[in-house]
């Protein structure tokens, strides 16, 4: 359900603790506070994501390395070569582990800190591998208000990984996303292209089991 601020503006929300009233703010102010708090939580999650150690060891192949060297040689004399090299390197490896960043830094004769800085600044780049099944939890305002953080917590408990990480077997990875345009179904979780609306923590086991089964059948 989307929030219609024009209807709600001017309504007053009271905060009580027991019998005592601590103050009154109008709906717009309350909404603003929720948005600010959500922004703070997201920022902390992103900071945590940057410090995350990859759960899966790097398994680059010789063929991938040869492709990366070709990419570097093709771009190395261009000004601003780093962005296109990172983009193409991510296409080759699926993500940008420190080993790949080091090869890029050496190939373009740049400090590793600069490569790392760009790779972590832009959200299009991922420093961790993605799972066979990519789980995204929408942390847009409507989903957040409806308890998307509880869904994330439930996933973390069940899979033993945090946002931006991949399970050691490579089956699942978790990401948080901005609004996916299905606010009426909040809170929303996606696994690959499947959308799960009005999610509850209780539904998680059954949903995850479905993908585990799919994976087992595929491996047979
Ligand atoms: S906030 Fe819009 S779909 Fe989650």
């Amino acid at each position: 359900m989307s929030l219609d601020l024009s209807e709600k503006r001017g309504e007053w929300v009271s905060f009580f603790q027991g019998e005592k009233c601590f103050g009154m703010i109008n709906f717009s102010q309350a909404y603003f506070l929720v948005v600010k708090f959500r922004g703070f939580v997201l920022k902390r999650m992103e900071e945590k994501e940057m410090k995350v150690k990859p759960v899966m060891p790097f398994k680059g192949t010789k063929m991938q390395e040869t492709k990366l060297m070709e990419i570097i040689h093709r771009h190395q004399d261009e000004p601003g070569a780093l962005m296109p090299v990172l983009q193409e390197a991510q296409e080759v490896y699926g993500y940008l582990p420190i080993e790949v960043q080091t090869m890029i830094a050496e190939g373009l004769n740049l400090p590793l800190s600069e490569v790392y800085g760009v790779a972590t600044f832009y959200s299009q780049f991922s420093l961790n591998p993605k799972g066979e099944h990519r789980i995204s939890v929408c942390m847009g305002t409507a989903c957040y208000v409806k308890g998307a953080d509880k869904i994330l917590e439930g996933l973390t408990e069940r899979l033993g990984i945090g946002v931006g990480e991949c399970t050691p077997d490579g089956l699942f990875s978790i990401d948080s996303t901005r609004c996916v345009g299905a606010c009426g179904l909040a809170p929303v979780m996606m696994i690959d292209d499947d959308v799960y609306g009005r999610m509850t923590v209780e539904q998680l086991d059954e949903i995850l089991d479905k993908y585990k089964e799919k994976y087992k059948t595929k491996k047979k």
Side-chain angles (χ1 to χ4, degrees):
M1 189 189 74
S2 62
L3 290 165
D4 185 350
L5 277 183
S6 57
E7 272 181 25
K8 295 285 183 188
R9 207 178 297 278
E11 280 184 25
W12 291 86
V13 179
S14 307
F15 286 106
F16 289 92
Q17 192 178 68
E19 296 290 312
K20 210 171 173 186
C21 174
F22 281 102
M24 294 186 62
I25 56 173
N26 66 26
F27 184 83
S28 303
Q29 288 168 323
Y31 185 75
F32 175 76
L33 284 175
V34 168
V35 171
K36 284 302 258 187
F37 182 66
R38 185 182 65 87
F40 170 77
V41 171
L42 279 178
K43 192 163 185 298
R44 292 300 304 271
M45 283 165 57
E46 276 161 14
E47 283 169 4
K48 197 175 158 207
E49 189 173 337
M50 280 170 60
K51 287 178 202 147
V52 158
K53 297 249 179 321
V55 179
M56 288 174 74
F58 176 61
K59 288 185 196 154
T61 63
K62 200 73 211 153
M63 195 190 278
Q64 285 173 316
E65 194 178 325
T66 309
K67 274 189 191 167
L68 178 62
M69 290 308 142
E70 277 169 21
I71 293 165
I72 291 171
H73 287 140
R74 191 154 25 87
H75 290 285
Q76 70 188 158
D77 296 326
E78 297 169 7
L82 183 53
M83 277 301 277
V85 169
L86 285 174
Q87 279 160 347
E88 290 184 42
Q90 183 159 277
E91 280 166 28
V92 172
Y93 288 92
Y95 70 117
L96 297 170
I98 198 70
E99 291 83 354
V100 173
Q101 292 176 52
T102 305
M103 287 189 267
I104 293 173
E106 284 168 6
L108 294 179
N109 204 18
L110 293 170
L112 178 58
S113 57
E114 188 178 331
V115 177
Y116 179 80
V118 174
T120 51
F121 183 79
Y122 293 98
S123 58
Q124 60 177 295
F125 298 128
S126 173
L127 268 55
N128 285 300
K130 298 296 172 197
E132 173 84 14
H133 297 295
R134 299 173 176 206
I135 305 174
S136 316
V137 179
C138 176
M139 291 297 280
T141 306
C143 288
Y144 183 78
V145 168
K146 292 271 185 173
D149 55 331
K150 299 279 176 303
I151 305 298
L152 260 188
E153 244 174 66
L155 285 168
T156 300
E157 273 169 24
R158 283 160 178 79
L159 299 176
I161 54 169
V163 173
E165 292 181 344
C166 181
T167 52
D169 59 3
L171 184 52
F172 294 109
S173 55
I174 308 178
D175 283 304
S176 64
T177 65
R178 312 284 178 201
C179 178
V180 294
C183 308
L185 298 176
V188 175
M189 175 178 90
M190 288 182 71
I191 302 188
D192 306 327
D193 294 327
D194 304 331
V195 179
Y196 297 92
R198 300 197 180 94
M199 273 298 299
T200 61
V201 175
E202 291 69 37
Q203 290 172 302
L204 283 175
D205 291 314
E206 195 182 329
I207 294 173
L208 292 175
D209 285 349
K210 198 168 84 182
Y211 290 88
K212 285 178 194 164
E213 276 308 312
K214 239 192 218 181
Y215 187 63
K216 269 190 217 156
T217 320
K218 197 176 152 189
K219 278 188 103 181
K220 275 178 195 167

